[in-house]
Amino acid sequence: MMSVTPIPALSDNYIWLLRQDTSQSVCVVDPGEAAPVIEFLERESLTLNCILITHHHHDHTGGLAELIKRYSPHVIGPDNPKIEGIDETVGDGDEVRIMGRLFDVMATPGHTLDHISYFTAGIPALLFCGDTLFCAGCGRLFEGTPEQMYTALKKFAELPEDTLVFAAHEYTQANLTFARAADPENEDVKHALQECEKARALDRPTLPSTIGRELKINPYLRLGTDSVRQAAGTQGVNNDDLATFTTLREWKNRF
């Protein structure tokens, strides 16, 4: 059985640590800084043998150099020369075996052009989606287009509903606050926000989410519902799902 542990980093990042059963060899996803990873590995007497990267932003790669120097892990990531230290470049449709499990690589541009995500089926199914899908939200469009992000999110919506969603940031409370405005008739959003506020008051992570939960509370995955369409219509064009998505994303930027 594969376990996944959050390592808090920077101001609101999660570095996800993957471990298979009781093996001492582990993998981490998007190490934005090295110190918390090193501290965790040393405390638990673990060995880092693999790193997965979703995209080039520094808060996802900033710890690479130090971790490579200290542990010499195998580093897998997108084909982007901005990322120093990649041993194996992967793209859409590729497969990688991590901790004994086969992961599918999905191209998910939008936040950045090089963004990829990693999905493995099984019990449980796991999705490491970086800054593409957040709990109740999605990433800002720094390099890509609304259509690219919309397409990426549609891919996620088609995954099994019990898939655990490991996003890279603790943005849930802010996203649910926006979702309450963007999907005002949604009782699931109101309940999720209450639960989120309780968790954050205790400094507990709100992740992982699941695809099934996101289909209920994430306005970017509920573009065709009357509640979201009506709310988007007060902010801009919403004559189809892509237009509604574009309006919502621009609205969130200034929310």
Side-chain angles (χ1 to χ4, degrees), residues 106-193:
M106 306 167 67
T108 52
H111 179 68
T112 63
L113 293 177
D114 67 341
H115 203 297
I116 57 177
S117 299
Y118 302 88
F119 169 75
T120 179
I123 303 174
L126 312 174
L127 173 68
F128 296 91
C129 49
D131 286 359
T132 299
L133 176 66
F134 297 125
C135 182
C138 72
R140 284 180 177 265
L141 305 181
F142 286 114
E143 297 175 1
T145 66
E147 185 173 10
Q148 286 176 318
M149 181 65 87
Y150 167 73
T151 299
L153 295 177
K154 284 183 66 178
K155 291 182 182 180
F156 292 154
E158 295 171 357
L159 296 175
E161 291 193 11
D162 61 354
T163 300
L164 296 175
V165 177
F166 296 92
H169 289 273
E170 183 56 72
Y171 288 166
T172 307
Q173 191 165 356
N175 286 338
L176 284 169
T177 301
F178 173 72
R180 189 171 54 184
D183 196 0
E185 298 175 12
N186 191 333
E187 292 298 321
D188 290 318
V189 167
K190 296 174 185 177
H191 178 72
L193 182 56

Side-chain angles (χ1 to χ4, degrees), residues 1 74 80 100 114 126 128 140 151 184 188 195 202 209 236 246:
M1 178 69 71
H74 183 67
N80 187 337
D114 67 341
L126 312 174
F128 296 91
R140 284 180 177 265
T151 299
D188 290 318
E195 292 300 308
L202 298 172
S209 185
T246 303

Side-chain angles (χ1 to χ4, degrees), residues 1-254:
M1 178 69 71
M2 178 172 285
S3 63
V4 183
T5 303
I7 301 177
L10 302 169
S11 62
D12 51 33
N13 282 67
Y14 289 125
I15 301 168
W16 297 106
L17 182 143
L18 287 64
R19 184 178 183 184
Q20 187 74 306
D21 296 323
T22 58
S23 171
Q24 298 305 105
S25 296
V26 300
C27 174
V28 297
V29 183
D30 285 349
E33 60 177 340
V37 176
I38 294 170
E39 178 183 354
F40 189 94
L41 296 176
E42 298 300 309
R43 184 175 71 245
E44 302 294 329
S45 299
L46 301 174
T47 300
L48 180 64
N49 73 352
C50 181
I51 296 175
L52 298 180
I53 299 294
T54 62
H55 64 292
H56 69 270
H57 282 167
H58 188 72
D59 63 323
H60 295 251
T61 62
L64 265 180
E66 188 173 351
L67 293 174
I68 290 170
K69 182 178 180 180
R70 189 179 184 108
Y71 300 105
S72 300
H74 183 67
V75 182
I76 301 170
D79 187 4
N80 187 337
K82 292 181 180 179
I83 310 172
E84 296 184 3
I86 298 287
D87 298 306
E88 181 181 354
T89 59
V90 292
D92 194 50
D94 289 337
E95 295 179 332
V96 293
R97 188 168 293 277
I98 307 296
M99 303 285 106
R101 285 182 63 164
L102 198 63
F103 282 73
D104 296 319
V105 180
M106 306 167 67
T108 52
H111 179 68
T112 63
L113 293 177
D114 67 341
H115 203 297
I116 57 177
S117 299
Y118 302 88
F119 169 75
T120 179
I123 303 174
L126 312 174
L127 173 68
F128 296 91
C129 49
D131 286 359
T132 299
L133 176 66
F134 297 125
C135 182
C138 72
R140 284 180 177 265
L141 305 181
F142 286 114
E143 297 175 1
T145 66
E147 185 173 10
Q148 286 176 318
M149 181 65 87
Y150 167 73
T151 299
L153 295 177
K154 284 183 66 178
K155 291 182 182 180
F156 292 154
E158 295 171 357
L159 296 175
E161 291 193 11
D162 61 354
T163 300
L164 296 175
V165 177
F166 296 92
H169 289 273
E170 183 56 72
Y171 288 166
T172 307
Q173 191 165 356
N175 286 338
L176 284 169
T177 301
F178 173 72
R180 189 171 54 184
D183 196 0
E185 298 175 12
N186 191 333
E187 292 298 321
D188 290 318
V189 167
K190 296 174 185 177
H191 178 72
L193 182 56
Q194 292 171 353
E195 292 300 308
C196 172
E197 290 170 345
K198 292 177 183 178
R200 296 310 297 153
L202 298 172
D203 198 30
R204 294 176 180 169
T206 62
L207 300 171
S209 185
T210 66
I211 292 296
R213 183 170 187 248
E214 292 308 301
L215 291 171
K216 293 180 179 179
I217 66 172
N218 194 318
Y220 303 103
L221 300 182
R222 294 172 47 79
L223 300 170
T225 62
D226 290 341
S227 179
V228 173
R229 279 285 177 92
Q230 290 171 8
T234 68
Q235 302 294 318
V237 177
N238 71 337
N239 52 10
D240 60 29
D241 284 355
L242 177 57
T244 302
F245 170 81
T246 303
T247 296
L248 287 182
R249 187 56 262 185
E250 292 174 350
W251 182 13
K252 178 62 167 64
N253 291 344
R254 62 182 187 271

